[in-house]
Amino acid sequence: MMPEPVDERHALMETYAPAAVTFVSGSGTVLTDLEGRTYLDFLSGIAVTSLGHCHPRVTAALEAQSKRLLHVSNLFANELAEPLARLIDKLVGDGEPARGRVFLCNSGAEANECAIKLARRYFSRTVPPSQVARHVIVSAYGSFHGRTLATLHATGQADKHVGFAPLPAGFDHVAYGDIAALETALRGAEDGAEVAAVLIEAVQGEGGVVPAPKGYLRAVRELCDARGVLLILDEIQTGLARTGRWFGFQRAQIAPDIVTMAKALGNGFPIGACWARDEVSAAFRPGDHGTTFGGQPLACAAALATLAEMEEIRAPELAARAGEHLAGAVARISGVSEVRGEGLLLGAVLEPGIDAKAVVAAALEHGLVLNAPVAGVIRLAPPLTVSSLEIEAAVGILADVMEAFS
Ligand SMILES: Cc1ncc(COP(=O)(O)O)c(C=O)c1O
């Protein structure tokens, strides 16, 4: 094969399909491309820039911290990680301390990797070596938990596993929303190993914006309690006000053992976190887990500013209100058969035969950023600060675009 000429070659690996647009700047809900065209961003980097692009408070915090201290090794303390962990603990408790501890990292996959390791470490400390190993992680088909080898195996989408064998052992999957299937899975895995934890999303974001059926999360909690299995909520996409509550699980009024978050935590600055209730978090002792960058001052400054702003503007209420407006307006668009999701994590289910990817591409050409997580579904996840006017403008663009398809 002839090598491509140097100036036509992409130096970035092709892990994503070629992009149609190059964005160069952003402010609030608006993105600008290389040619100076503006777009309404109703995807937010997939539920990341929840306060809008380049939020002044986050930018100011990053600017100030970048002049004070960027990084120290976790062999030492910094002045921001502990306050951030306390704030996360309070939000997990919906305003009251949840009495847990936090491991800070850099991404969603790392937060889930931490959760999986913590669950295994917990049982390796509490189950005597003479008993059957307790290490299996049960997650749902259609779920998404990350791209590291362990979180990839937890991800219940077989097409994403292709070509990466052997995946780590100790993962099992059940149908999302099917409590009887979970009951069977919790009886023990095929190799005789016992289940350590259930890892589940309150709304399957990548799976097509599929909310947990009513009563499901509560039934999962009860089943985990009955079997002595830990419950891990992956709130990486749903967490931090997106669904109209600080965390998606709060709708079900349950208390998970472990909660993971990332995406919106730094409003675009990379940071993730794994929270666990005290007794579980105590399984990690010095040397069990670690990271070079996790919890470094610059990332913590971004997260502290993001969460402080979210608290001040009552972000969950904004998401709930704007979500109702957006869901109602999208449901009236011709060619949309259903709008599902919670708060500002919405999926517009298109009538059979309409190609969601083609609609998304046409919307982009008309200045609206969306995506299609699965065939037939368009995801809408604008900043939680989105205005009514922006919602009306975006719905107008989508309705115009959909006319050509329905
Ligand atoms: C629910 C969920 N878990 C985990 C991840 C992985 O996060 P990251 O891409 O930051 O590793 C994602 C990313 O889309 C997600 O939506």
Side-chain angles (χ1 to χ4, degrees):
M1 215 166 65
M2 287 284 287
E4 293 167 77
V6 169
D7 52 359
E8 283 170 27
R9 259 185 98 238
H10 287 291
L12 286 171
M13 289 193 193
E14 291 186 353
T15 51
Y16 289 84
V21 179
T22 301
F23 291 120
V24 293
S25 65
S27 175
T29 310
V30 177
L31 279 168
T32 302
D33 74 9
L34 263 177
E35 278 81 43
R37 288 190 63 204
T38 56
Y39 300 75
L40 280 171
D41 185 2
F42 268 53
L43 190 58
S44 311
I46 314 192
V48 169
T49 51
S50 285
L51 296 175
H53 292 282
C54 299
H55 189 281
R57 187 166 182 169
V58 181
T59 299
L62 281 168
E63 203 176 8
Q65 189 60 40
S66 72
K67 292 175 184 155
R68 186 169 162 82
L69 184 68
L70 285 189
H71 181 85
V72 280
S73 163
N74 283 316
L75 296 171
F76 309 96
N78 72 64
E79 59 188 342
L80 302 181
E82 179 65 25
L84 176 59
R86 283 172 194 253
L87 188 46
I88 289 171
D89 184 63
K90 189 182 86 174
L91 299 181
V92 169
D94 203 8
E96 297 295 323
R99 304 199 167 278
R101 289 178 183 212
V102 174
F103 179 83
L104 294 169
C105 53
N106 312 289
S107 68
E110 281 175 73
N112 281 338
E113 191 82 24
C114 173
I116 292 165
K117 286 180 70 178
L118 180 60
R120 289 184 173 174
R121 196 72 186 101
Y122 175 75
F123 285 110
S124 75
R125 290 197 190 279
T126 53
V127 175
S130 56
Q131 285 186 19
V132 180
R134 193 157 191 156
H135 64 238
V136 175
I137 308 294
V138 177
S139 53
Y141 289 115
S143 64
F144 187 85
H145 298 296
R147 301 284 194 159
T148 63
L149 284 171
T151 60
L152 178 63
H153 204 181
T155 292
Q157 301 184 42
D159 59 323
K160 293 193 166 56
H161 298 170
V162 174
F164 298 112
L167 292 170
F171 291 85
D172 194 7
H173 301 94
V174 294
Y176 189 58
D178 183 342
I179 201 71
L182 186 64
E183 224 239 304
T184 306
L186 294 199
R187 283 189 203 137
E190 277 169 20
D191 63 0
E194 298 275 343
V195 176
V198 171
L199 169 60
I200 205 109
E201 294 160 272
V203 177
Q204 287 191 332
E206 298 310 298
V209 193
V210 183
K214 203 161 186 294
Y216 178 65
L217 291 181
R218 191 166 266 271
V220 172
R221 176 71 275 182
E222 284 165 11
L223 207 50
C224 287
D225 284 343
R227 302 270 169 175
V229 167
L230 297 178
L231 176 56
I232 307 170
L233 258 294
D234 178 340
E235 294 274 356
I236 286 157
Q237 190 158 151
T238 47
L240 304 167
R242 170 85 18 210
T243 64
R245 289 178 168 73
W246 284 111
F247 293 96
F249 71 79
Q250 287 163 348
R251 177 182 298 272
Q253 296 182 314
I254 57 162
D257 300 298
I258 303 177
V259 180
T260 55
M261 64 205 79
K263 288 187 179 288
L265 188 52
N267 202 50
F269 197 91
I271 178 166
C274 173
W275 172 96
R277 67 179 168 84
D278 272 348
E279 188 210 341
V280 176
S281 67
F284 271 168
R285 311 237 172 104
D288 279 336
H289 195 47
T291 164
T292 294
F293 291 122
Q296 54 106 285
L298 194 63
C300 290
L304 280 165
T306 301
L307 297 183
E309 180 68 13
M310 283 185 171
E311 281 195 302
E312 215 166 285
I313 63 173
R314 296 174 185 255
E317 289 166 38
L318 289 187
R321 242 190 341 264
E324 220 169 280
H325 179 184
L326 181 60
V330 171
R332 289 190 287 276
I333 295 176
S334 163
V336 172
S337 61
E338 182 200 347
V339 177
R340 63 192 182 202
E342 288 172 17
L344 279 174
L345 181 58
L346 296 173
V349 183
L350 305 184
E351 281 169 5
I354 304 180
D355 179 352
K357 278 200 165 43
V359 174
V360 165
L364 189 66
E365 278 179 21
H366 288 80
L368 177 62
V369 180
L370 301 164
N371 92 324
V374 297
V377 179
I378 292 175
R379 172 168 42 197
L380 298 109
L384 312 182
T385 50
V386 67
S387 71
S388 295
L389 279 177
E390 288 166 338
I391 289 178
E392 290 302 323
V395 169
I397 295 172
L398 186 56
D400 286 349
V401 164
M402 283 289 290
E403 261 180 34
F405 290 88
S406 48

